[in-house]
Amino acid sequence: MTGVSGPVRSDLFFRTLRFRPVAMHMSLRTLSLALAGLALTACAKKADTESAPPETAADVAAGPEDIDALEAQLAAREDQLRALGAPPPEMRMEAAKRAEHEDGDALAGAGDAKTKTEAQTAHGPAPSSAPTQPGTSPRRCESVCDITTSICQLRDHICDLAPRHDDEPRYQRACERATTDCEFATEACHACS
Amino acid sequence: MTRHTWIATLLGVVVGAGVMLAGLAQAGRLAPAPRPEVLVTLAQTVDAEHRRVDLLLKRRDYAGAIAALEQMRTVAWPEAAVAGDAAAVLRHDVYGRLVRLRLDHPEVDPKTPDALAELVGEGLGADYKAIATNAFTARLVGLRGEIAEKQGRDGDALVAYEEALDMNRALLHQALGSSP
């Protein structure tokens, strides 16, 4: 590799260019075609990569016959999913429980029950207008209800600000919008579960 | 070789190179190539740390939990170029948990609201808005609002809450398979 791009080789390159223009012309055309071909290959390679699941060291190490290996493989997959921002449902459940636990601690510590949202407290029958999904899975419901909790907590925060800013309509508007969001999400959660 | 031929040749090279660059860029070769092994290692590290924090919280050792998460701040979080956006999402998760604990347990190693705001900024990073909407980033943005409130900056708090609300709204519609 060394010397390929050095001054001597460059000089030789230009001399070759000067004295063999036709050959150079041909080689440049060939190069262009080769580059285009490479680009197509790269695109094709990308398609392969996207359709195939990512491999991990656990995949390589684990044979399908060994239950321990399968478990390790599963754990690795879960890690991958978690890493990609899409934790498996079990992890989401754990995360939700974790959040609840932490929130619970916070509530116990602060003695403030206000952040307990409608999604957590209301237990009425699902309204007929609630957005339902045919074939909705419990996992999806869990996700919807987790998001509902977050939305309604944000509603609480926003609406707590509004009374302190009576003269600024944007606070009131934000509160109304957040309340609508919370109601919609709560309906969705109830319709789901 | 005529001038015309030279121009044609040059054009051929430029077009060929252009097509190659476009192809490579589309294939993700020129974009900083994420390294899955770095991401998986990071995810495993973070997961192990979360489990440790879970145990500490179970024992109501809030100081220990906060210290463990503080330790995670010293991790050399890989750039998006190395581990992709998912690394930033993992960071948002860790920082979100840390900030939540710090807000809920101000008696442990107390921090000023300004220091907490700095912590959130550090966790979010400069380009968090470029990351695909996810629950962890939304939570950290919402926490930014809580801290702004503590700083007496209600206007900024409202902006942060609304931003977090927008993210959660998008996530909800995503989960419901509907459009906002």
Side-chain angles (χ1 to χ4, degrees):
Chain A
M1 284 296 284
T2 52
V4 170
S5 57
V8 177
R9 288 302 294 261
S10 293
D11 191 39
L12 183 66
F13 175 77
F14 283 114
R15 270 195 288 150
T16 310
L17 188 69
R18 192 176 306 128
F19 291 116
R20 300 179 62 193
V22 177
M24 189 61 203
H25 189 177
M26 289 292 285
S27 67
L28 285 172
R29 276 193 178 171
T30 310
L31 177 66
S32 302
L33 286 170
L35 292 175
L38 184 60
L40 289 172
T41 312
C43 288
K45 186 81 179 170
K46 188 199 175 197
D48 287 345
T49 313
E50 282 176 349
S51 59
E55 278 209 348
T56 65
D59 292 338
V60 178
E65 299 81 14
D66 185 358
I67 187 70
D68 292 336
L70 280 173
E71 278 179 1
Q73 195 174 346
L74 183 64
R77 291 283 185 215
E78 286 175 351
D79 285 332
Q80 280 181 332
L81 285 170
R82 187 188 165 86
L84 293 168
E90 292 77 11
M91 285 187 175
R92 280 205 295 268
M93 202 182 295
E94 279 175 22
K97 280 178 187 163
R98 196 179 78 203
E100 270 177 27
H101 176 71
E102 283 165 18
D103 289 348
D105 287 342
L107 289 171
D112 178 12
K114 198 169 182 185
T115 51
K116 218 163 190 191
T117 63
E118 287 166 25
Q120 292 168 313
T121 53
H123 295 286
S128 56
S129 62
T132 54
Q133 292 291 312
T136 304
S137 69
R139 292 168 183 179
R140 177 184 254 183
C141 284
E142 203 178 287
S143 176
V144 168
C145 293
D146 285 349
I147 296 165
T148 300
T149 304
S150 301
I151 287 177
C152 294
Q153 281 176 348
L154 285 164
R155 186 277 318 265
D156 291 343
H157 284 301
I158 290 172
C159 292
D160 277 352
L161 287 174
R164 300 207 294 258
H165 299 273
D166 284 337
D167 52 336
E168 292 177 79
R170 70 179 178 128
Y171 284 89
Q172 193 53 44
R173 278 200 304 270
C175 174
E176 284 164 10
R177 191 173 173 221
T179 302
T180 306
D181 284 340
C182 175
E183 284 168 1
F184 175 82
T186 304
E187 280 186 18
C189 173
H190 287 164
C192 216
S193 46
Chain B
M1 195 174 208
T2 64
R3 188 176 172 174
H4 179 75
T5 315
W6 268 107
I7 290 170
T9 305
L10 192 63
L11 196 65
V13 172
V14 170
V15 169
V19 170
M20 180 192 70
L21 291 174
L24 290 176
Q26 274 208 328
R29 302 289 175 82
L30 287 185
R35 290 171 54 196
E37 72 277 14
V38 175
L39 185 59
V40 171
T41 307
L42 177 69
Q44 285 170 339
T45 308
V46 169
D47 189 47
E49 210 51 49
H50 276 308
R51 286 171 199 270
R52 189 153 76 97
V53 171
D54 287 342
L55 288 173
L56 290 164
L57 289 176
K58 216 172 189 175
R59 284 191 263 145
R60 298 196 167 264
D61 182 1
Y62 302 117
I66 287 173
L69 290 167
E70 279 287 346
Q71 187 67 26
M72 289 297 287
R73 286 176 71 187
T74 61
V75 166
W77 293 93
E79 299 286 323
V82 176
D85 287 345
V89 175
L90 288 172
R91 193 181 69 235
H92 294 168
D93 184 18
V94 168
Y95 275 73
R97 204 174 186 194
L98 173 60
V99 174
R100 181 75 269 160
L101 277 171
R102 282 211 171 278
L103 285 171
D104 294 343
H105 301 281
E107 73 284 357
V108 177
D109 180 25
K111 298 281 177 198
T112 62
D114 287 348
L116 291 176
E118 203 175 310
L119 180 62
V120 170
E122 180 186 305
L124 277 175
D127 50 357
Y128 73 92
K129 288 183 183 177
I131 297 168
T133 306
N134 67 86
F136 301 109
T137 309
R139 176 174 68 164
L140 197 50
V141 171
L143 288 167
R144 172 179 263 179
E146 284 188 48
I147 293 165
E149 259 195 271
K150 286 189 180 297
Q151 289 176 304
R153 298 188 292 114
D154 283 3
D156 291 339
L158 183 64
V159 169
Y161 289 144
E162 287 194 294
E163 190 182 345
L165 192 62
D166 286 343
M167 290 180 181
N168 277 295
R169 193 183 298 116
L171 288 171
L172 180 67
H173 286 290
Q174 214 172 298
L176 293 174
S178 61
S179 52

